[in-house]
Amino acid sequence: MRGKLGWLNPGVVILGALWGAVAAPAVAQSIAEKVEVCASCHGQNGKPIDKTIPIIWGQQLGYIYIQLRDFKRGDRKNEIMQPIASSFEKDDMLAIAEYFSKKTWPDLGQPRSPKDVSGRALSANHSVGCTGCHLDQFQGDGTVPRLAGQSREYLTKTIADFRTRARGNNPGMSDLMLATTPDDLAALEEYLSGL
Ligand code: HEC
Ligand code: HEC
């Protein structure tokens, strides 16, 4: 028994070494390495470096995944995000979405909207039913995004993009945004950013 093991062991060691040599170059970048680049825009601490860049820390998993998929497909057009998302396969996108969804949503310190603005936003919400999908306090769930505390400049930009269909990945949201008056939308943007 001892002798047999003594004969087998070097073989196992050699096999192990060979396996290591073959497997090493194929080892994929870890998720931590893949998300390093994101911080240069979406922020080292979750606070985006520019106001037109959205918060992705603490965003809903399903929503982040759908956006990466849509950027890659070109359904959501953006010259910055398209090439980045194109380098990912489905499994990467899911893992990246999970990674960011588990982070804590940062506080951008945007001011609460004054009473007249929140009044207008809440009555627009009442007629359109935003919270029917975006849920209480606009926290989102699954493939529906959190809006509470999102950057005001980004909200303004992306709502405008829905209206012109420059953001064409969800025609239903474009229809809804077109059916809402610009004044109501402006109130909603200010209200949501201050939540
Ligand atoms: C060079 C800057 C830059 C880098 C790097 C970058 N992003 Fe973005 N990202 C943006 C901008 C700008 C937008 C907004 C696009 C728009 O207005 O439609 C965006 C949008 C997004 C969105 C959509 C969020 C939403 O609320 O709809 C997701 C998800 C996202 N990025 C994930 C990532 C991930 C993951 C990485 C790293 C793998 C990354 N981004 C790297 C600039 C960047
Ligand atoms: C029928 C369900 C539904 C209703 C009602 C709805 N939304 Fe949405 N909304 C969605 C979904 C789903 C998405 C994600 C679209 C996508 O995948 O790009 C979204 C995306 C958004 C985004 C983009 C967020 C981001 O991070 O880019 C904004 C802003 C938004 N909605 C605002 C509103 C406002 C304001 C209202 C009410 C006036 C509203 N929505 C009503 C389902 C809804």
Side-chain angles (χ1 to χ4, degrees), residues 59 63 66-67 70 76 124 128-130 133-134 143-147 150 154-155 158-159 162 167 169-170 173 176-177 180 185 188 192:
Q59 186 51 281
Y63 176 72
I66 297 274
Q67 301 316 300
D70 287 357
R76 181 171 175 183
V128 184
C130 317
C133 297
H134 289 278
T143 56
V144 182
R146 169 176 174 153
L147 304 176
Q150 183 58 275
Y154 170 74
L155 287 172
T158 211
I159 285 176
F162 273 133
R167 177 169 174 178
N169 67 324
N170 193 304
M173 271 303 300
L176 265 176
M177 296 294 103
T180 309
L185 290 172
L188 279 160
L192 292 169

PDB file of all heavy atoms in Angstrom, residues 59 63 66-67 70 76 124 128-130 133-134 143-147 150 154-155 158-159 162 167 169-170 173 176-177 180 185 188 192, ligand 2:
ATOM      1  N   GLN A  59     -28.730  49.507  -6.487  1.00  0.00           N
ATOM      2  CA  GLN A  59     -29.821  49.434  -7.464  1.00  0.00           C
ATOM      3  C   GLN A  59     -30.325  47.984  -7.538  1.00  0.00           C
ATOM      4  O   GLN A  59     -29.636  47.066  -7.096  1.00  0.00           O
ATOM      5  CB  GLN A  59     -29.315  49.931  -8.840  1.00  0.00           C
ATOM      6  CG  GLN A  59     -30.357  50.045  -9.933  1.00  0.00           C
ATOM      7  CD  GLN A  59     -31.607  50.827  -9.542  1.00  0.00           C
ATOM      8  OE1 GLN A  59     -32.498  50.283  -8.860  1.00  0.00           O
ATOM      9  NE2 GLN A  59     -31.681  52.093  -9.936  1.00  0.00           N
ATOM     10  N   TYR A  63     -32.873  44.903 -12.557  1.00  0.00           N
ATOM     11  CA  TYR A  63     -32.813  46.117 -13.376  1.00  0.00           C
ATOM     12  C   TYR A  63     -31.402  46.339 -13.937  1.00  0.00           C
ATOM     13  O   TYR A  63     -31.228  46.627 -15.120  1.00  0.00           O
ATOM     14  CB  TYR A  63     -33.255  47.344 -12.566  1.00  0.00           C
ATOM     15  CG  TYR A  63     -33.107  48.623 -13.347  1.00  0.00           C
ATOM     16  CD1 TYR A  63     -33.969  48.914 -14.400  1.00  0.00           C
ATOM     17  CD2 TYR A  63     -32.079  49.514 -13.071  1.00  0.00           C
ATOM     18  CE1 TYR A  63     -33.812  50.077 -15.155  1.00  0.00           C
ATOM     19  CE2 TYR A  63     -31.928  50.678 -13.816  1.00  0.00           C
ATOM     20  CZ  TYR A  63     -32.793  50.948 -14.857  1.00  0.00           C
ATOM     21  OH  TYR A  63     -32.627  52.095 -15.603  1.00  0.00           O
ATOM     22  N   ILE A  66     -30.797  43.914 -16.788  1.00  0.00           N
ATOM     23  CA  ILE A  66     -31.521  44.266 -18.025  1.00  0.00           C
ATOM     24  C   ILE A  66     -30.833  45.431 -18.747  1.00  0.00           C
ATOM     25  O   ILE A  66     -30.745  45.453 -19.973  1.00  0.00           O
ATOM     26  CB  ILE A  66     -32.993  44.656 -17.700  1.00  0.00           C
ATOM     27  CG1 ILE A  66     -33.755  43.472 -17.088  1.00  0.00           C
ATOM     28  CG2 ILE A  66     -33.722  45.221 -18.928  1.00  0.00           C
ATOM     29  CD1 ILE A  66     -34.375  42.540 -18.074  1.00  0.00           C
ATOM     30  N   GLN A  67     -30.329  46.413 -17.966  1.00  0.00           N
ATOM     31  CA  GLN A  67     -29.682  47.561 -18.608  1.00  0.00           C
ATOM     32  C   GLN A  67     -28.399  47.135 -19.309  1.00  0.00           C
ATOM     33  O   GLN A  67     -28.131  47.550 -20.429  1.00  0.00           O
ATOM     34  CB  GLN A  67     -29.388  48.688 -17.596  1.00  0.00           C
ATOM     35  CG  GLN A  67     -30.631  49.219 -16.901  1.00  0.00           C
ATOM     36  CD  GLN A  67     -31.797  49.442 -17.851  1.00  0.00           C
ATOM     37  OE1 GLN A  67     -31.694  50.226 -18.794  1.00  0.00           O
ATOM     38  NE2 GLN A  67     -32.911  48.757 -17.631  1.00  0.00           N
ATOM     39  N   ASP A  70     -29.344  45.352 -22.394  1.00  0.00           N
ATOM     40  CA  ASP A  70     -29.878  46.260 -23.421  1.00  0.00           C
ATOM     41  C   ASP A  70     -28.792  47.150 -24.027  1.00  0.00           C
ATOM     42  O   ASP A  70     -28.845  47.482 -25.209  1.00  0.00           O
ATOM     43  CB  ASP A  70     -31.015  47.115 -22.838  1.00  0.00           C
ATOM     44  CG  ASP A  70     -32.290  46.294 -22.615  1.00  0.00           C
ATOM     45  OD1 ASP A  70     -32.305  45.095 -22.963  1.00  0.00           O
ATOM     46  OD2 ASP A  70     -33.271  46.857 -22.088  1.00  0.00           O
ATOM     47  N   ARG A  76     -30.619  49.980 -25.722  1.00  0.00           N
ATOM     48  CA  ARG A  76     -30.407  51.242 -25.015  1.00  0.00           C
ATOM     49  C   ARG A  76     -29.090  51.790 -25.530  1.00  0.00           C
ATOM     50  O   ARG A  76     -28.034  51.196 -25.295  1.00  0.00           O
ATOM     51  CB  ARG A  76     -30.361  51.022 -23.491  1.00  0.00           C
ATOM     52  CG  ARG A  76     -30.161  52.342 -22.749  1.00  0.00           C
ATOM     53  CD  ARG A  76     -30.319  52.227 -21.253  1.00  0.00           C
ATOM     54  NE  ARG A  76     -29.989  53.502 -20.623  1.00  0.00           N
ATOM     55  CZ  ARG A  76     -29.980  53.709 -19.320  1.00  0.00           C
ATOM     56  NH1 ARG A  76     -30.300  52.726 -18.496  1.00  0.00           N
ATOM     57  NH2 ARG A  76     -29.672  54.901 -18.834  1.00  0.00           N
ATOM     58  N   ALA A 124     -49.223  63.924  -9.436  1.00  0.00           N
ATOM     59  CA  ALA A 124     -48.892  63.278 -10.715  1.00  0.00           C
ATOM     60  C   ALA A 124     -48.747  61.774 -10.509  1.00  0.00           C
ATOM     61  O   ALA A 124     -49.241  60.965 -11.306  1.00  0.00           O
ATOM     62  CB  ALA A 124     -47.596  63.852 -11.282  1.00  0.00           C
ATOM     63  N   VAL A 128     -50.804  58.964 -12.561  1.00  0.00           N
ATOM     64  CA  VAL A 128     -50.083  58.041 -13.458  1.00  0.00           C
ATOM     65  C   VAL A 128     -49.858  56.681 -12.794  1.00  0.00           C
ATOM     66  O   VAL A 128     -49.808  55.650 -13.469  1.00  0.00           O
ATOM     67  CB  VAL A 128     -48.710  58.630 -13.880  1.00  0.00           C
ATOM     68  CG1 VAL A 128     -48.018  57.726 -14.891  1.00  0.00           C
ATOM     69  CG2 VAL A 128     -48.855  60.033 -14.426  1.00  0.00           C
ATOM     70  N   GLY A 129     -49.727  56.686 -11.475  1.00  0.00           N
ATOM     71  CA  GLY A 129     -49.509  55.412 -10.779  1.00  0.00           C
ATOM     72  C   GLY A 129     -48.073  54.908 -10.852  1.00  0.00           C
ATOM     73  O   GLY A 129     -47.820  53.708 -10.965  1.00  0.00           O
ATOM     74  N   CYS A 130     -47.098  55.842 -10.771  1.00  0.00           N
ATOM     75  CA  CYS A 130     -45.672  55.438 -10.799  1.00  0.00           C
ATOM     76  C   CYS A 130     -45.393  54.377  -9.733  1.00  0.00           C
ATOM     77  O   CYS A 130     -44.702  53.382  -9.989  1.00  0.00           O
ATOM     78  CB  CYS A 130     -44.749  56.623 -10.540  1.00  0.00           C
ATOM     79  SG  CYS A 130     -45.162  58.153 -11.379  1.00  0.00           S
ATOM     80  N   CYS A 133     -45.731  50.521  -9.981  1.00  0.00           N
ATOM     81  CA  CYS A 133     -44.602  49.703 -10.472  1.00  0.00           C
ATOM     82  C   CYS A 133     -43.330  49.950  -9.648  1.00  0.00           C
ATOM     83  O   CYS A 133     -42.615  49.015  -9.310  1.00  0.00           O
ATOM     84  CB  CYS A 133     -44.299  50.030 -11.930  1.00  0.00           C
ATOM     85  SG  CYS A 133     -45.636  49.649 -13.066  1.00  0.00           S
ATOM     86  N   HIS A 134     -43.042  51.233  -9.365  1.00  0.00           N
ATOM     87  CA  HIS A 134     -41.781  51.555  -8.674  1.00  0.00           C
ATOM     88  C   HIS A 134     -41.866  51.326  -7.162  1.00  0.00           C
ATOM     89  O   HIS A 134     -40.869  51.479  -6.460  1.00  0.00           O
ATOM     90  CB  HIS A 134     -41.349  52.991  -8.990  1.00  0.00           C
ATOM     91  CG  HIS A 134     -40.871  53.148 -10.408  1.00  0.00           C
ATOM     92  ND1 HIS A 134     -39.600  52.826 -10.802  1.00  0.00           N
ATOM     93  CD2 HIS A 134     -41.519  53.538 -11.542  1.00  0.00           C
ATOM     94  CE1 HIS A 134     -39.465  53.040 -12.104  1.00  0.00           C
ATOM     95  NE2 HIS A 134     -40.621  53.469 -12.587  1.00  0.00           N
ATOM     96  N   THR A 143     -36.912  43.948 -11.799  1.00  0.00           N
ATOM     97  CA  THR A 143     -36.472  44.676 -12.990  1.00  0.00           C
ATOM     98  C   THR A 143     -36.972  46.127 -13.004  1.00  0.00           C
ATOM     99  O   THR A 143     -36.738  46.845 -13.964  1.00  0.00           O
ATOM    100  CB  THR A 143     -36.956  43.967 -14.279  1.00  0.00           C
ATOM    101  OG1 THR A 143     -38.379  43.828 -14.214  1.00  0.00           O
ATOM    102  CG2 THR A 143     -36.314  42.597 -14.415  1.00  0.00           C
ATOM    103  N   VAL A 144     -37.674  46.531 -11.955  1.00  0.00           N
ATOM    104  CA  VAL A 144     -38.129  47.933 -11.845  1.00  0.00           C
ATOM    105  C   VAL A 144     -37.133  48.696 -10.968  1.00  0.00           C
ATOM    106  O   VAL A 144     -36.854  48.290  -9.842  1.00  0.00           O
ATOM    107  CB  VAL A 144     -39.547  48.016 -11.235  1.00  0.00           C
ATOM    108  CG1 VAL A 144     -40.016  49.469 -11.183  1.00  0.00           C
ATOM    109  CG2 VAL A 144     -40.530  47.176 -12.038  1.00  0.00           C
ATOM    110  N   PRO A 145     -36.570  49.806 -11.495  1.00  0.00           N
ATOM    111  CA  PRO A 145     -35.496  50.477 -10.760  1.00  0.00           C
ATOM    112  C   PRO A 145     -35.958  51.281  -9.546  1.00  0.00           C
ATOM    113  O   PRO A 145     -37.075  51.778  -9.500  1.00  0.00           O
ATOM    114  CB  PRO A 145     -34.913  51.445 -11.801  1.00  0.00           C
ATOM    115  CG  PRO A 145     -36.044  51.724 -12.739  1.00  0.00           C
ATOM    116  CD  PRO A 145     -36.826  50.434 -12.800  1.00  0.00           C
ATOM    117  N   ARG A 146     -35.039  51.399  -8.588  1.00  0.00           N
ATOM    118  CA  ARG A 146     -35.189  52.376  -7.516  1.00  0.00           C
ATOM    119  C   ARG A 146     -34.982  53.760  -8.122  1.00  0.00           C
ATOM    120  O   ARG A 146     -34.065  53.965  -8.930  1.00  0.00           O
ATOM    121  CB  ARG A 146     -34.118  52.125  -6.435  1.00  0.00           C
ATOM    122  CG  ARG A 146     -34.042  53.264  -5.431  1.00  0.00           C
ATOM    123  CD  ARG A 146     -33.054  52.980  -4.312  1.00  0.00           C
ATOM    124  NE  ARG A 146     -32.930  54.175  -3.471  1.00  0.00           N
ATOM    125  CZ  ARG A 146     -32.594  54.172  -2.193  1.00  0.00           C
ATOM    126  NH1 ARG A 146     -32.318  53.028  -1.601  1.00  0.00           N
ATOM    127  NH2 ARG A 146     -32.512  55.291  -1.511  1.00  0.00           N
ATOM    128  N   LEU A 147     -35.837  54.706  -7.735  1.00  0.00           N
ATOM    129  CA  LEU A 147     -35.698  56.092  -8.193  1.00  0.00           C
ATOM    130  C   LEU A 147     -35.361  57.023  -7.033  1.00  0.00           C
ATOM    131  O   LEU A 147     -34.778  58.093  -7.230  1.00  0.00           O
ATOM    132  CB  LEU A 147     -37.001  56.573  -8.860  1.00  0.00           C
ATOM    133  CG  LEU A 147     -37.540  55.735 -10.038  1.00  0.00           C
ATOM    134  CD1 LEU A 147     -38.881  56.300 -10.513  1.00  0.00           C
ATOM    135  CD2 LEU A 147     -36.558  55.708 -11.197  1.00  0.00           C
ATOM    136  N   GLN A 150     -31.996  59.110  -6.541  1.00  0.00           N
ATOM    137  CA  GLN A 150     -31.162  59.068  -7.756  1.00  0.00           C
ATOM    138  C   GLN A 150     -30.759  60.504  -8.120  1.00  0.00           C
ATOM    139  O   GLN A 150     -31.445  61.465  -7.746  1.00  0.00           O
ATOM    140  CB  GLN A 150     -31.953  58.407  -8.901  1.00  0.00           C
ATOM    141  CG  GLN A 150     -31.210  58.230 -10.215  1.00  0.00           C
ATOM    142  CD  GLN A 150     -29.932  57.411 -10.115  1.00  0.00           C
ATOM    143  OE1 GLN A 150     -28.863  57.951  -9.787  1.00  0.00           O
ATOM    144  NE2 GLN A 150     -30.017  56.115 -10.353  1.00  0.00           N
ATOM    145  N   TYR A 154     -29.356  63.175 -13.666  1.00  0.00           N
ATOM    146  CA  TYR A 154     -29.512  61.928 -14.432  1.00  0.00           C
ATOM    147  C   TYR A 154     -30.995  61.640 -14.693  1.00  0.00           C
ATOM    148  O   TYR A 154     -31.366  61.282 -15.813  1.00  0.00           O
ATOM    149  CB  TYR A 154     -28.854  60.736 -13.714  1.00  0.00           C
ATOM    150  CG  TYR A 154     -29.243  59.435 -14.383  1.00  0.00           C
ATOM    151  CD1 TYR A 154     -28.703  59.068 -15.616  1.00  0.00           C
ATOM    152  CD2 TYR A 154     -30.213  58.606 -13.814  1.00  0.00           C
ATOM    153  CE1 TYR A 154     -29.109  57.902 -16.259  1.00  0.00           C
ATOM    154  CE2 TYR A 154     -30.617  57.447 -14.449  1.00  0.00           C
ATOM    155  CZ  TYR A 154     -30.063  57.100 -15.674  1.00  0.00           C
ATOM    156  OH  TYR A 154     -30.482  55.953 -16.318  1.00  0.00           O
ATOM    157  N   LEU A 155     -31.847  61.812 -13.668  1.00  0.00           N
ATOM    158  CA  LEU A 155     -33.283  61.568 -13.845  1.00  0.00           C
ATOM    159  C   LEU A 155     -33.826  62.446 -14.975  1.00  0.00           C
ATOM    160  O   LEU A 155     -34.561  61.983 -15.847  1.00  0.00           O
ATOM    161  CB  LEU A 155     -34.052  61.851 -12.545  1.00  0.00           C
ATOM    162  CG  LEU A 155     -33.885  60.818 -11.419  1.00  0.00           C
ATOM    163  CD1 LEU A 155     -34.536  61.320 -10.132  1.00  0.00           C
ATOM    164  CD2 LEU A 155     -34.480  59.465 -11.816  1.00  0.00           C
ATOM    165  N   THR A 158     -32.525  61.087 -18.354  1.00  0.00           N
ATOM    166  CA  THR A 158     -33.061  59.815 -18.845  1.00  0.00           C
ATOM    167  C   THR A 158     -34.561  59.917 -19.144  1.00  0.00           C
ATOM    168  O   THR A 158     -35.063  59.290 -20.074  1.00  0.00           O
ATOM    169  CB  THR A 158     -32.673  58.641 -17.906  1.00  0.00           C
ATOM    170  OG1 THR A 158     -32.545  57.466 -18.702  1.00  0.00           O
ATOM    171  CG2 THR A 158     -33.666  58.412 -16.781  1.00  0.00           C
ATOM    172  N   ILE A 159     -35.278  60.768 -18.382  1.00  0.00           N
ATOM    173  CA  ILE A 159     -36.702  60.974 -18.678  1.00  0.00           C
ATOM    174  C   ILE A 159     -36.844  61.695 -20.034  1.00  0.00           C
ATOM    175  O   ILE A 159     -37.695  61.339 -20.855  1.00  0.00           O
ATOM    176  CB  ILE A 159     -37.398  61.736 -17.525  1.00  0.00           C
ATOM    177  CG1 ILE A 159     -37.595  60.771 -16.345  1.00  0.00           C
ATOM    178  CG2 ILE A 159     -38.735  62.331 -17.971  1.00  0.00           C
ATOM    179  CD1 ILE A 159     -38.178  61.392 -15.080  1.00  0.00           C
ATOM    180  N   PHE A 162     -36.299  59.114 -22.631  1.00  0.00           N
ATOM    181  CA  PHE A 162     -37.488  58.277 -22.847  1.00  0.00           C
ATOM    182  C   PHE A 162     -38.466  59.008 -23.766  1.00  0.00           C
ATOM    183  O   PHE A 162     -39.057  58.426 -24.664  1.00  0.00           O
ATOM    184  CB  PHE A 162     -38.199  57.980 -21.511  1.00  0.00           C
ATOM    185  CG  PHE A 162     -37.687  56.768 -20.766  1.00  0.00           C
ATOM    186  CD1 PHE A 162     -37.419  56.841 -19.392  1.00  0.00           C
ATOM    187  CD2 PHE A 162     -37.518  55.531 -21.394  1.00  0.00           C
ATOM    188  CE1 PHE A 162     -36.978  55.732 -18.677  1.00  0.00           C
ATOM    189  CE2 PHE A 162     -37.084  54.407 -20.685  1.00  0.00           C
ATOM    190  CZ  PHE A 162     -36.810  54.510 -19.333  1.00  0.00           C
ATOM    191  N   ARG A 167     -33.794  56.896 -25.583  1.00  0.00           N
ATOM    192  CA  ARG A 167     -33.732  55.676 -24.774  1.00  0.00           C
ATOM    193  C   ARG A 167     -34.938  54.840 -25.206  1.00  0.00           C
ATOM    194  O   ARG A 167     -36.068  55.122 -24.797  1.00  0.00           O
ATOM    195  CB  ARG A 167     -33.791  56.003 -23.277  1.00  0.00           C
ATOM    196  CG  ARG A 167     -33.795  54.736 -22.422  1.00  0.00           C
ATOM    197  CD  ARG A 167     -33.577  55.014 -20.944  1.00  0.00           C
ATOM    198  NE  ARG A 167     -33.742  53.794 -20.177  1.00  0.00           N
ATOM    199  CZ  ARG A 167     -33.578  53.688 -18.869  1.00  0.00           C
ATOM    200  NH1 ARG A 167     -33.228  54.761 -18.166  1.00  0.00           N
ATOM    201  NH2 ARG A 167     -33.747  52.537 -18.254  1.00  0.00           N
ATOM    202  N   ASN A 169     -35.287  51.392 -24.978  1.00  0.00           N
ATOM    203  CA  ASN A 169     -35.326  49.991 -24.534  1.00  0.00           C
ATOM    204  C   ASN A 169     -36.611  49.632 -23.797  1.00  0.00           C
ATOM    205  O   ASN A 169     -36.830  48.473 -23.496  1.00  0.00           O
ATOM    206  CB  ASN A 169     -34.093  49.652 -23.676  1.00  0.00           C
ATOM    207  CG  ASN A 169     -34.077  50.387 -22.344  1.00  0.00           C
ATOM    208  OD1 ASN A 169     -34.500  51.538 -22.270  1.00  0.00           O
ATOM    209  ND2 ASN A 169     -33.592  49.737 -21.310  1.00  0.00           N
ATOM    210  N   ASN A 170     -37.456  50.624 -23.482  1.00  0.00           N
ATOM    211  CA  ASN A 170     -38.725  50.297 -22.844  1.00  0.00           C
ATOM    212  C   ASN A 170     -39.812  51.251 -23.374  1.00  0.00           C
ATOM    213  O   ASN A 170     -40.076  52.286 -22.773  1.00  0.00           O
ATOM    214  CB  ASN A 170     -38.601  50.368 -21.316  1.00  0.00           C
ATOM    215  CG  ASN A 170     -39.806  49.733 -20.621  1.00  0.00           C
ATOM    216  OD1 ASN A 170     -40.951  50.119 -20.864  1.00  0.00           O
ATOM    217  ND2 ASN A 170     -39.552  48.751 -19.780  1.00  0.00           N
ATOM    218  N   MET A 173     -42.410  52.766 -20.995  1.00  0.00           N
ATOM    219  CA  MET A 173     -41.990  53.919 -20.177  1.00  0.00           C
ATOM    220  C   MET A 173     -41.978  55.190 -21.022  1.00  0.00           C
ATOM    221  O   MET A 173     -42.340  56.257 -20.542  1.00  0.00           O
ATOM    222  CB  MET A 173     -40.594  53.684 -19.570  1.00  0.00           C
ATOM    223  CG  MET A 173     -40.594  53.000 -18.218  1.00  0.00           C
ATOM    224  SD  MET A 173     -41.562  53.876 -16.948  1.00  0.00           S
ATOM    225  CE  MET A 173     -40.706  55.449 -16.896  1.00  0.00           C
ATOM    226  N   LEU A 176     -45.529  56.398 -21.282  1.00  0.00           N
ATOM    227  CA  LEU A 176     -45.958  56.995 -20.009  1.00  0.00           C
ATOM    228  C   LEU A 176     -45.369  58.391 -19.814  1.00  0.00           C
ATOM    229  O   LEU A 176     -46.049  59.312 -19.379  1.00  0.00           O
ATOM    230  CB  LEU A 176     -45.480  56.126 -18.848  1.00  0.00           C
ATOM    231  CG  LEU A 176     -46.438  55.094 -18.272  1.00  0.00           C
ATOM    232  CD1 LEU A 176     -45.721  54.278 -17.206  1.00  0.00           C
ATOM    233  CD2 LEU A 176     -47.666  55.784 -17.684  1.00  0.00           C
ATOM    234  N   MET A 177     -44.082  58.531 -20.136  1.00  0.00           N
ATOM    235  CA  MET A 177     -43.410  59.823 -19.951  1.00  0.00           C
ATOM    236  C   MET A 177     -43.977  60.854 -20.915  1.00  0.00           C
ATOM    237  O   MET A 177     -44.104  62.026 -20.581  1.00  0.00           O
ATOM    238  CB  MET A 177     -41.893  59.683 -20.162  1.00  0.00           C
ATOM    239  CG  MET A 177     -41.189  58.789 -19.146  1.00  0.00           C
ATOM    240  SD  MET A 177     -41.208  59.445 -17.461  1.00  0.00           S
ATOM    241  CE  MET A 177     -42.466  58.432 -16.717  1.00  0.00           C
ATOM    242  N   THR A 180     -47.214  62.293 -19.653  1.00  0.00           N
ATOM    243  CA  THR A 180     -47.121  63.121 -18.443  1.00  0.00           C
ATOM    244  C   THR A 180     -46.609  64.505 -18.856  1.00  0.00           C
ATOM    245  O   THR A 180     -45.713  64.595 -19.697  1.00  0.00           O
ATOM    246  CB  THR A 180     -46.164  62.440 -17.435  1.00  0.00           C
ATOM    247  OG1 THR A 180     -46.558  61.084 -17.275  1.00  0.00           O
ATOM    248  CG2 THR A 180     -46.199  63.120 -16.086  1.00  0.00           C
ATOM    249  N   LEU A 185     -43.362  66.249 -14.712  1.00  0.00           N
ATOM    250  CA  LEU A 185     -42.103  65.487 -14.721  1.00  0.00           C
ATOM    251  C   LEU A 185     -41.002  66.255 -13.993  1.00  0.00           C
ATOM    252  O   LEU A 185     -40.238  65.663 -13.222  1.00  0.00           O
ATOM    253  CB  LEU A 185     -41.672  65.164 -16.163  1.00  0.00           C
ATOM    254  CG  LEU A 185     -42.567  64.135 -16.871  1.00  0.00           C
ATOM    255  CD1 LEU A 185     -42.193  64.012 -18.349  1.00  0.00           C
ATOM    256  CD2 LEU A 185     -42.465  62.763 -16.190  1.00  0.00           C
ATOM    257  N   LEU A 188     -41.594  65.769 -10.413  1.00  0.00           N
ATOM    258  CA  LEU A 188     -41.220  64.403 -10.014  1.00  0.00           C
ATOM    259  C   LEU A 188     -39.697  64.249  -9.896  1.00  0.00           C
ATOM    260  O   LEU A 188     -39.195  63.633  -8.957  1.00  0.00           O
ATOM    261  CB  LEU A 188     -41.773  63.386 -11.020  1.00  0.00           C
ATOM    262  CG  LEU A 188     -43.250  63.016 -10.822  1.00  0.00           C
ATOM    263  CD1 LEU A 188     -43.860  62.419 -12.093  1.00  0.00           C
ATOM    264  CD2 LEU A 188     -43.416  62.035  -9.650  1.00  0.00           C
ATOM    265  N   LEU A 192     -38.153  63.153  -6.449  1.00  0.00           N
ATOM    266  CA  LEU A 192     -37.482  61.847  -6.343  1.00  0.00           C
ATOM    267  C   LEU A 192     -36.035  61.986  -5.886  1.00  0.00           C
ATOM    268  O   LEU A 192     -35.557  61.213  -5.046  1.00  0.00           O
ATOM    269  CB  LEU A 192     -37.521  61.120  -7.697  1.00  0.00           C
ATOM    270  CG  LEU A 192     -38.909  60.652  -8.154  1.00  0.00           C
ATOM    271  CD1 LEU A 192     -38.882  60.198  -9.613  1.00  0.00           C
ATOM    272  CD2 LEU A 192     -39.412  59.525  -7.245  1.00  0.00           C
TER     273      LEU A 192
HETATM  274  C1  HEC B   2     -46.233  50.013 -15.626  1.00  0.00           C
HETATM  275  C2  HEC B   2     -45.105  50.109 -14.702  1.00  0.00           C
HETATM  276  C3  HEC B   2     -44.437  51.478 -14.558  1.00  0.00           C
HETATM  277  C4  HEC B   2     -45.037  52.688 -14.276  1.00  0.00           C
HETATM  278  C5  HEC B   2     -46.501  52.989 -14.062  1.00  0.00           C
HETATM  279  C6  HEC B   2     -43.939  53.648 -14.203  1.00  0.00           C
HETATM  280  N1  HEC B   2     -42.743  53.041 -14.438  1.00  0.00           N
HETATM  281 FE1  HEC B   2     -40.946  53.957 -14.538  1.00  0.00          FE
HETATM  282  N2  HEC B   2     -40.075  52.200 -15.087  1.00  0.00           N
HETATM  283  C7  HEC B   2     -40.713  50.981 -15.178  1.00  0.00           C
HETATM  284  C8  HEC B   2     -39.773  49.981 -15.631  1.00  0.00           C
HETATM  285  C9  HEC B   2     -40.057  48.502 -15.851  1.00  0.00           C
HETATM  286  C10 HEC B   2     -38.541  50.650 -15.832  1.00  0.00           C
HETATM  287  C11 HEC B   2     -37.241  50.051 -16.345  1.00  0.00           C
HETATM  288  C12 HEC B   2     -37.194  50.244 -17.827  1.00  0.00           C
HETATM  289  C13 HEC B   2     -35.959  49.634 -18.433  1.00  0.00           C
HETATM  290  O1  HEC B   2     -35.744  48.425 -18.266  1.00  0.00           O
HETATM  291  O2  HEC B   2     -35.210  50.383 -19.050  1.00  0.00           O
HETATM  292  C14 HEC B   2     -38.766  52.041 -15.477  1.00  0.00           C
HETATM  293  C15 HEC B   2     -37.780  53.032 -15.529  1.00  0.00           C
HETATM  294  C16 HEC B   2     -37.946  54.318 -15.081  1.00  0.00           C
HETATM  295  C17 HEC B   2     -36.903  55.313 -15.011  1.00  0.00           C
HETATM  296  C18 HEC B   2     -35.450  55.111 -15.365  1.00  0.00           C
HETATM  297  C19 HEC B   2     -34.614  54.924 -14.100  1.00  0.00           C
HETATM  298  C20 HEC B   2     -33.154  54.800 -14.353  1.00  0.00           C
HETATM  299  O3  HEC B   2     -32.418  54.486 -13.414  1.00  0.00           O
HETATM  300  O4  HEC B   2     -32.706  55.008 -15.488  1.00  0.00           O
HETATM  301  C21 HEC B   2     -37.470  56.461 -14.525  1.00  0.00           C
HETATM  302  C22 HEC B   2     -36.771  57.785 -14.258  1.00  0.00           C
HETATM  303  C23 HEC B   2     -38.865  56.182 -14.293  1.00  0.00           C
HETATM  304  N3  HEC B   2     -39.140  54.881 -14.644  1.00  0.00           N
HETATM  305  C24 HEC B   2     -39.765  57.101 -13.797  1.00  0.00           C
HETATM  306  C25 HEC B   2     -41.130  56.867 -13.668  1.00  0.00           C
HETATM  307  C26 HEC B   2     -42.088  57.883 -13.245  1.00  0.00           C
HETATM  308  C27 HEC B   2     -41.708  59.290 -12.812  1.00  0.00           C
HETATM  309  C28 HEC B   2     -43.324  57.295 -13.313  1.00  0.00           C
HETATM  310  C29 HEC B   2     -44.668  57.945 -13.068  1.00  0.00           C
HETATM  311  C30 HEC B   2     -44.904  59.238 -13.738  1.00  0.00           C
HETATM  312  C31 HEC B   2     -43.116  55.915 -13.769  1.00  0.00           C
HETATM  313  N4  HEC B   2     -41.785  55.696 -13.962  1.00  0.00           N
HETATM  314  C32 HEC B   2     -44.132  55.007 -13.959  1.00  0.00           C
HETATM  315  C33 HEC B   2     -42.042  50.739 -14.894  1.00  0.00           C
HETATM  316  C34 HEC B   2     -42.997  51.710 -14.655  1.00  0.00           C
END
